[in-house]
Amino acid sequence: MTKEVFERLLSEKQYKAIKSIFDTMNPVDTATLLPEFEEKELVLLFRLIPKENASMVFTYLDPEEQQILLEAFTDRELEFIMDEMFIDDTVDVIEEMPANVVKRMLAAAGDKRNAINTILNYPEDSAGSIMTLEYISLHPSMTIGDALKKIKSMGEESVTVNICYVIEKHRLLGTISAMDLLTCDDDEKITDVMDENLITVHTLTDKEEVAQLFDKYDVLTIPVLDKEDCIVGIVTVDDAIDVIQEEAEEDFQKMAAIAPTDKPYLKTSVAELWKNRIPWLILLMISATFTGMIISSFEDALSRLVVLTAYIPMLMGTGGNSGSQASVTVIRGLSLGEVEARDVFKVLWKEVRVSVLCGVSLAVACFIKIILIDGMLLKTDGVNEMIALVVALTLCATVICAKVIGALLPIGAKILKLDPAVMASPFITTIVDAVSLLVYFGIAKSFIDII
Amino acid sequence: MTKEVFERLLSEKQYKAIKSIFDTMNPVDTATLLPEFEEKELVLLFRLIPKENASMVFTYLDPEEQQILLEAFTDRELEFIMDEMFIDDTVDVIEEMPANVVKRMLAAAGDKRNAINTILNYPEDSAGSIMTLEYISLHPSMTIGDALKKIKSMGEESVTVNICYVIEKHRLLGTISAMDLLTCDDDEKITDVMDENLITVHTLTDKEEVAQLFDKYDVLTIPVLDKEDCIVGIVTVDDAIDVIQEEAEEDFQKMAAIAPTDKPYLKTSVAELWKNRIPWLILLMISATFTGMIISSFEDALSRLVVLTAYIPMLMGTGGNSGSQASVTVIRGLSLGEVEARDVFKVLWKEVRVSVLCGVSLAVACFIKIILIDGMLLKTDGVNEMIALVVALTLCATVICAKVIGALLPIGAKILKLDPAVMASPFITTIVDAVSLLVYFGIAKSFIDII
């Protein structure tokens, strides 16, 4: 359904028709459509959504639209939405709202208020902050038949998760899936059927680690335990997917020297984009003072042999590329748990061998290229075998340094408990630029003195 | 359990103890442990895994270990594993095996052979290639009671997925979750309870698109339809997570100018790493010939004012960083479906404004930095207001060009149906390097002539 259809129906006040259309739409699609309307129409349209979908649509809206609606809601509407929304989703909304809206929300939260405050109190990136408190708990003394009866009595709305937890005195003993309940005989004991092989996390476990467990063990939920190993909530796979996406985006942004944000590009204002991008640009620009200083100090050599200048961009570019290949590989390896800080020597030894291979092949290719293309084809002034040799040797040394630096810095960051992704391309490039210039002038000077 | 424990038990031939330990371990952990052993011990250990876990452990092993085991299996063992493994997992294994092993596997596949061949025939990145054919189908004429009976009769092993499909004449009418089955009354008709709001894909839908649907709609499975809209299989959320991870890794690698690979870093041989990294390095090195040519053609200006050379690395570096900020933002936006090719003018307008803001602020910072640090503090030869002005103006122009190029190239690639991620940092940097030099010498020449 397109915006135009709804505009037409709105202008004709065909509210019943709109209601019917909303009834056939997936809440996610409704939530994608609504932000295209202005404030007044948005509120009107939201009120036409069938009651059983309203909280789902609300959950999937962006914070801006959520705020518009929350401010327009009557107390009764607010209470209804708060009652229908899952606690973890409610917390997500609260975290984005200004204080006055939060106050009203908490006042309307009723008996969920304590639960909401509990989750709000966990650190931002912890398992506790993304868990939900709504799950089905069964007692180990139950038979399958008892469990079925209990679930039936709870009714449909409380059971969105297809896994039940067998719990005694707050201790998690095992899990049992809805399908297990369906296929077992009524008189079997749930303790005989339950899966005791538990994958659990603690409230303070980093949410990225939680997401990796979902990927590793292919599970649909992971129970969250507190310090005393008592179960306090569960994380569901949809939240894990969100975390995986967010963390990858954060790494992408850090690698491109952008301050991380989870706002979609087209919805981010120009001022915000500027604010996210300018700090690193200025920092890296100023740090390039070093490369400038190095060049200035070799001014004599350069003015005598200007042809050397022509190869500076190529040397720095290839150095930067080599370094970022190594750093991105190691950063992602660390992120995915494939590489650990203790593997530092394995990584070093591997990168040394790879970098020598890459360095030598590049040097050979570069030597041939200078002689054939720059010398014979383009007939560039001052190009000769000696220059080609100096450039090729520098290239080889630069590539080796770049790869070793690129691989070690992220691991170093990890050991210092910093985020390895900050040691990505732009940072590495700045260091490698300086290194490659020093190597270049060093090699050039010794060879030119020989000449 | 650590490797040492098993080594000890193996040397003492305590096979029963090993069996008991395996019985308590999660198959994923067992699969992580096994590769630490040599071929002979690996096969022995695998045979000690309890039968009900053997196929799961096998599924989670790496292709190398799978091949060792497949070659060691008796016909009977092979048939057992093939029978127990899910069809989609079997296909994943087959795709990595050499021809002789594949032949033996297909011979042992029994009645699954046709299904395996069907999936093998779908294109590599399609929904068809990652779907499974094992799901529970219910007939619309059934009541909840009938459905429960049918599921019970199928037994536990065929029901790992908690969603059932209501199908008539191969047409998917709706879905019903195991929890719905548990909470509804036996005499209700399943057509009254089922969810008709279907999210489906086609066999040829790109698997990345499928994964995005899981993220968007928070579903656990997505049914796959053929050309005639008949259901042929389902994709499960665990496969979607794998796809999301793989695609993010591919983008990371492309952005770092590495040929994509899904092998963990520490398991990749030095030769393979070299092979993945060297092609782009050589290509980018040779393409730097342009920057060399530009510098050579301005040799006169440079030999007269060597101080200009000192700012080349900073200008190119800042240009490259600005360009990759824009390109990474747009590439990820395209990847996540937040930006479409048709948004090209919106993106252009946004980047023009952001780049002017960034360009002007960097230019101001750069001018001040040159006067204060390079001029007054470091007393670099030849630094004066005019040089600072030339460099600052160039920086501003370079940043604007870099951001516009960085944002437009990925969208251009998308329009030409190429992968936007190839238009990432290294590629952009090479173009921006050339542009910034041209701008630099252009501005410098006009100002120096004035002097």
Side-chain angles (χ1 to χ4, degrees), chain B residues 213-233:
Chain B
L213 288 176
F214 276 93
D215 185 31
K216 181 171 179 193
Y217 291 102
D218 289 348
V219 287
L220 296 178
T221 63
I222 293 184
V224 183
L225 311 181
D226 64 11
K227 272 185 219 149
E228 282 81 36
D229 281 339
C230 296
I231 180 168
V232 288

Side-chain angles (χ1 to χ4, degrees), chain A residues 29 60 148 152 182 184 215 217-218 242 249 256-257 265 268 274 277 289 325 332 350-351 361 369, chain B residues 29 60 148 152 182 184 215 217-218 242 249 256-257 265 268 274 277 289 325 332 350-351 361 369:
Chain A
D29 296 323
Y60 282 102
L148 291 176
K152 207 157 226 165
L182 286 176
C184 293
D215 185 31
Y217 291 102
D218 289 349
D242 291 344
E249 288 326 301
Y265 173 69
T268 316
W274 174 78
R277 294 180 184 182
T289 306
Q325 286 182 336
R332 290 308 296 168
K350 201 165 260 234
E351 283 303 322
S361 16
K369 182 227 135 189
Chain B
D29 296 323
Y60 282 101
L148 291 177
K152 208 157 226 162
L182 285 176
C184 293
D215 185 31
Y217 291 102
D218 289 348
D242 291 344
E249 289 325 301
Y265 172 70
T268 315
W274 173 78
R277 294 179 184 183
T289 307
Q325 287 182 334
R332 290 307 298 170
K350 201 167 262 244
E351 284 304 322
S361 17
K369 181 227 137 191

